[in-house]
Amino acid sequence: MSADGPTQPGPPPQAGGLPSSEELARERVLCDRAHAGDRAALGQLLRQYGPRLFRAVLLPRLGSRAAAEEALSVTYLKVVERFEQFSWQAVGVYPWLRVVALRVALDQLRSRKRETVFQPEDLEREIDRGEREARDAVSSEQHDLLLARQRVVELLGRLHPRYGQALTLRILEERSREECAAALEVSTATFDVVLHRAVAALKKELAREPS
């Protein structure tokens, strides 16, 4: 299974992003089959939710596509090993999968001295909250992405305003280099220098955070 997820999209969610009763019923059937040892059913669940775990849980917290892909593979293995521990919840299987992925990400952060936006203590709080509060998949993804964005904005606010603006334009707003340069009223070459210095300043700020 890859981080790219299924090639065929699943059924669209109910209006408002919440899963319909029919979707939950289908998911529960898959979970029951997986509990009975049906690896194909478990694989279908992982293909459905793997991309969401990757983009909303692992990548923002680990800060590297390679690290997130490795963590997703470990998450898949742990889900296969421990799926008998899962008990059905009214919002489906995703909250349980998310906690498994968070624990894998936490292990990575503890074992590697990496400059990341999130610290192990942040993930510990999220794991505790995730075990107490079960959200549906869409709400969980929105929460995780918003949390990551707020954390990045908080860090950028500690930098020189010009560096923060450069990172916001290029990374958060995903503008082209030419658009960023125009916004800062500099040449593209000068913007590249500013962005390089901004990234270096951000790394220094991350290194100052308590481990």
Side-chain angles (χ1 to χ4, degrees):
M1 303 170 193
S2 72
D4 296 328
T7 55
Q8 296 295 326
Q14 191 180 29
L18 297 176
S20 67
S21 57
E22 292 83 1
E23 288 170 326
L24 285 173
R26 285 192 294 269
E27 186 171 300
R28 184 162 192 174
V29 169
L30 288 174
C31 290
D32 289 343
R33 286 169 51 193
H35 268 140
D38 187 338
R39 291 296 179 89
L42 184 54
Q44 188 171 339
L45 290 169
L46 291 176
R47 286 193 300 274
Q48 178 177 346
Y49 288 119
R52 178 171 274 146
L53 292 172
F54 178 83
R55 68 177 176 261
V57 178
L58 298 172
L59 186 57
R61 289 169 174 83
L62 296 175
S64 156
R65 186 173 185 87
E69 287 175 346
E70 178 184 344
L72 184 63
S73 296
V74 175
T75 299
Y76 285 165
L77 290 174
K78 291 192 177 295
V79 168
V80 171
E81 292 171 357
R82 304 174 183 178
F83 195 74
E84 71 276 1
Q85 299 175 12
F86 168 70
S87 298
W88 178 256
Q89 304 175 72
V91 291
V93 70
Y94 183 79
W96 184 81
L97 296 175
R98 177 177 176 270
V99 169
V100 174
L102 283 170
R103 290 190 181 281
V104 171
L106 176 60
D107 288 343
Q108 278 207 12
L109 287 183
R110 283 174 170 166
S111 65
R112 302 178 182 182
K113 296 298 183 182
R114 297 182 54 85
E115 293 165 336
T116 57
V117 170
F118 288 89
Q119 297 298 319
E121 294 77 11
D122 299 321
L123 271 69
E124 289 170 353
R125 286 191 292 270
E126 281 298 306
I127 290 170
D128 181 63
R129 187 177 297 115
E131 290 177 333
R132 290 185 287 104
E133 303 172 1
R135 293 186 178 97
D136 65 273
V138 173
S139 298
S140 291
E141 181 178 14
Q142 291 172 345
H143 165 79
D144 286 327
L145 294 176
L146 177 61
L147 189 67
R149 185 178 182 88
Q150 289 173 338
R151 185 74 175 108
V152 170
V153 169
E154 175 193 344
L155 285 170
L156 294 184
R158 303 179 195 171
L159 305 181
H160 186 284
R162 191 170 182 81
Y163 291 166
Q165 185 181 8
L167 290 167
T168 297
L169 291 169
R170 186 68 173 133
I171 298 175
L172 294 183
E173 299 182 7
E174 299 181 348
R175 298 197 197 182
S176 68
R177 291 166 57 242
E178 293 75 16
E179 289 175 324
C180 294
L184 267 62
E185 299 181 345
V186 298
S187 67
T188 303
T190 299
F191 172 76
D192 289 341
V193 173
V194 173
L195 183 64
H196 175 77
R197 291 175 178 172
V199 170
L202 180 60
K203 287 183 177 180
K204 288 182 180 178
E205 189 62 39
L206 286 169
R208 291 194 191 101
E209 297 230 314
S211 57

